[in-house]
């Protein structure tokens, strides 16, 4: 009978999750820089893990690329609830849209790795669109309910405007322009007061 006293202890599940998170964090900049040419060995070495640990979490390159991109999407979506709990409605919306600009930068820099996926990106992007749409709806609904903004377009159109800059091929300056556009969009959403105080001249004309 096997002596269970000396059986190797299983690593806690929390350790496995931490290892996975570290691999994702390390893999992201390498995939951004090297795309489909990034090697598993390089990623495992950068994370200070053996190659076996990487393969246990991500058995294929496609699995790793998809996981990195999905993780970025999930972090962005989760940020909506966090910002809603800690910021005023319009401020939360603005800060989240700035995070969306960073997300676009990651997506753009990972284009080489994403383009190498054997199954394509249709399903991956469909899932990310669903998560992102839910996040901005949460923030715009809250800002509208507070009376701070008035929407005349679909919330997703705000993000399409920002994505347009990311894909317009205007070089490295697109990110700063996108940040500026966030403030332009927020200013355009702010509710215009229904009544404008009359100036003395306007009052005199009314009673003339």
């Amino acid at each position: 009978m096997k002596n269970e006293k000396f059986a190797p202890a299983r690593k806690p599940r929390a350790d496995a999750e931490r290892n996975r998170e570290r691999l994702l964090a390390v893999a992201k900049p390498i995939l951004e820089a090297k795309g489909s040419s990034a090697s598993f060995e390089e990623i495992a070495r950068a994370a200070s893990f053996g190659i076996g640990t990487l393969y246990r979490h991500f058995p294929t390159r496609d699995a790793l690329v998809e996981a990195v991109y999905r993780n970025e999407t999930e972090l962005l979506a989760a940020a909506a609830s966090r910002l809603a709990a800690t910021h005023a409605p319009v401020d939360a919306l603005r800060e989240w849209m700035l995070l969306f600009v960073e997300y676009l930068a990651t997506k753009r820099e990972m284009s080489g790795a994403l383009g190498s996926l054997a199954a394509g990106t249709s399903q991956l992007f469909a899932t990310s669109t669903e998560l992102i749409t839910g996040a901005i709806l949460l923030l715009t609904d809250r800002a509208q309910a507070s009376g701070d903004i008035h929407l005349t377009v679909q919330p997703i159109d705000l993000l399409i405007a920002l994505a347009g800059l990311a894909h317009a091929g205007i070089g490295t300056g697109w990110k700063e322009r996108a940040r500026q556009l966030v403030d332009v969009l927020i200013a355009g959403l702010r509710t215009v007061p229904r009544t404008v105080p009359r100036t003395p001249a306007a009052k005199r004309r009314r009673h003339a």
Side-chain angles (χ1 to χ4, degrees), residues 7 50 60 82 101 117 126 130 157 204:
T60 67
R82 186 183 73 250
V101 172
L117 293 175
E130 183 178 349
D157 290 339
R204 287 196 296 271

Side-chain angles (χ1 to χ4, degrees), residues 95-173:
E95 290 301 315
W96 188 86
M97 289 174 70
L98 290 173
L99 290 178
F100 180 73
V101 172
E102 296 301 321
Y103 171 81
L104 288 174
T106 295
K107 183 176 179 179
R108 177 169 164 155
E109 290 164 1
M110 281 188 64
S111 60
L114 290 167
S116 70
L117 293 175
T121 56
S122 297
Q123 186 56 51
L124 187 63
F125 287 174
T127 301
S128 65
T129 297
E130 183 178 349
L131 286 172
I132 290 169
T133 300
I136 195 170
L137 281 172
L138 168 68
L139 295 169
T140 53
D141 285 353
R142 181 170 176 258
Q144 284 196 101
S146 72
D148 291 335
I149 69 169
H150 176 64
L151 270 176
T152 57
V153 297
Q154 293 298 315
I156 196 66
D157 290 339
L158 303 174
L159 305 186
I160 291 172
L162 295 171
L165 282 179
H167 299 295
I170 56 177
T172 56

Side-chain angles (χ1 to χ4, degrees), residues 47-62:
S48 300
F49 291 140
I51 192 68
T53 300
L54 179 55
Y55 275 112
R56 276 196 298 275
H57 288 282
F58 309 107
T60 67
R61 180 187 301 277
D62 282 9

